[in-house]
Amino acid sequence: MTTTSDASDARGADPRTFVSVGPNVASLGVVMNQNTQMADGASIRTWYFPDTAGSNQGFNADRILPSPLIECVQGQTVQVTLASPMPHTIHFHGLDVDQANDGVGNTSGFVAPADWNGSFGRVDGYTNLGSPFTYTFVAPHAGTYMYHCHVDTVIHLERGMFGTVIVRPSNGQQGLAWDGGPTFDREFVWQLSTFDSSWPQGGGSTISGPSTVRYRPDYFLINGVDGANAQTDSTVAITAAPGETVLLRLVQFSYVPAIVDLGGLTFDVIASDGRPLAGPMTNRTEVAIAAGERYDLLFTMPTGWSSTATVTTRDIRDRVDLGSVQTPIMAT
């Protein structure tokens, strides 16, 4: 089921369309060898999990990178069904689920063709050949999480088989960070990712190996868009009325760290990896985020504010800037 927020929900008068699969039930498929166009006109080879029961697209129903956002409600049973003609899983990164539903290929649920010989993706002991698998778990604490394929993750995550999971408070309120937590008027999700175009993209590039030992990304994306596209994308560029409170969910899908700077705008870091901080990190102007991490940022839009936010990707040793992507933050 696909849900769309509007001005009647608890997120306030946010006019943006916020599309997700859920709540609590999702059906995903697998599409491989698609192309996503970068701002410089180049195409990168993309794999993703389409919403097979709804828009048949990825994030926000208007792009295939990242995959659909999954929403669920704390304390309720969640079911996510995956169907695929090739070996894939959905690993719920950071969610407290039991082993059978964790999506690690050789110890939990995964899908593959009925006649597969086990040579692809280095996953052994297939248990669900030729049919979909339904992951079932109880949604844990409200917060920001992620999911990705855990079959030969080196290739599958790089290609785009990832998405965000938002667990809402137990009452389902969308303008509340968690039960008893802070409220907000507008919500943005920044899914940070990178792409190394030197990695092979044609046939024979479905398994990691010598050509993927080094990672030197040359494209830097937020919500699947880079360069000039990130300047105008409605899911990336942050706009809010003066005095409105904005929750920005940062999700790091890249293999390398990044520095997120909101152009001088101060914010509080209120949660990390799906859990509230014991005490918020207040009045920050930047935050470092490593592979697999999630941070929830909260700020109030100042009157007349206009700045440029920058996400700068660093090398794995945090010594060199590899590249960046920018987007505006404006009071409206």
Side-chain angles (χ1 to χ4, degrees), residues 100-227:
N101 293 282
D102 189 47
V104 176
N106 56 354
T107 61
S108 62
F110 60 92
V111 296
D115 59 352
W116 199 256
N117 61 14
S119 63
F120 178 86
R122 306 190 182 106
V123 177
D124 301 318
Y126 297 122
T127 58
N128 214 62
L129 301 181
S131 60
F133 183 86
T134 297
Y135 298 91
T136 303
F137 57 90
V138 175
H141 192 281
T144 308
Y145 303 89
M146 58 191 281
Y147 69 93
H148 61 82
C149 181
H150 220 310
V151 175
D152 203 354
T153 313
V154 171
I155 286 286
H156 294 206
L157 182 63
E158 157 79 358
R159 288 289 169 80
M161 301 192 78
F162 58 76
T164 295
V165 179
I166 295 177
V167 179
R168 300 294 181 188
S170 58
N171 65 358
Q173 184 176 342
Q174 292 183 313
L176 180 68
W178 59 80
D179 289 352
T183 59
F184 52 89
D185 301 301
R186 295 202 176 196
E187 178 179 26
F188 289 80
V189 181
W190 278 8
Q191 297 159 105
L192 313 180
S193 64
T194 54
F195 190 83
D196 185 343
S197 64
S198 73
W199 283 16
Q201 299 186 50
S205 61
T206 54
I207 298 177
S208 59
S211 62
T212 59
V213 171
R214 300 295 182 187
Y215 189 62
R216 301 180 178 89
D218 49 355
Y219 288 100
F220 310 93
L221 300 84
I222 305 175
N223 294 346
V225 297
D226 76 320

Side-chain angles (χ1 to χ4, degrees), residues 26-46:
S27 295
L28 302 180
V30 169
V31 174
M32 300 171 66
N33 297 333
Q34 299 293 297
N35 291 312
T36 296
Q37 189 173 43
M38 297 292 95
D40 64 2
S43 292
I44 62 174
R45 187 64 59 90
T46 307

Side-chain angles (χ1 to χ4, degrees), residues 238-325:
I238 294 178
T239 59
E244 284 192 317
T245 301
V246 177
L247 179 69
L248 174 58
R249 301 180 187 267
L250 299 179
V251 190
Q252 176 61 300
F253 292 102
S254 176
Y255 296 132
V256 287
I259 306 295
V260 178
D261 178 349
L262 300 189
L265 182 63
T266 58
F267 56 84
D268 297 341
V269 182
I270 62 171
S272 171
D273 296 343
R275 294 294 189 275
L277 296 177
M281 300 163 55
T282 58
N283 296 319
R284 300 299 173 112
T285 58
E286 67 177 32
V287 63
I289 184 167
E293 285 190 315
R294 289 90 58 212
Y295 285 116
D296 292 358
L297 313 185
L298 196 70
F299 62 88
T300 300
M301 182 64 73
T303 300
W305 184 267
S306 178
S307 66
T308 298
T310 304
V311 178
T312 303
T313 297
R314 305 276 291 171
D315 77 306
I316 194 64
R317 294 179 177 85
D318 195 26
R319 297 182 304 185
V320 179
D321 290 349
L322 300 179
S324 64
V325 57

Side-chain angles (χ1 to χ4, degrees), residues 37-84:
Q37 189 173 43
M38 297 292 95
D40 64 2
S43 292
I44 62 174
R45 187 64 59 90
T46 307
W47 303 352
Y48 73 111
F49 297 109
D51 171 17
T52 59
S55 65
N56 202 35
Q57 288 291 309
F59 176 67
N60 213 48
D62 62 359
R63 68 201 67 193
I64 62 177
L65 180 71
S67 292
L69 188 150
I70 297 174
E71 283 191 77
C72 46
V73 177
Q74 178 180 322
Q76 296 188 7
T77 298
V78 181
Q79 291 188 321
V80 180
T81 298
L82 175 64
S84 171

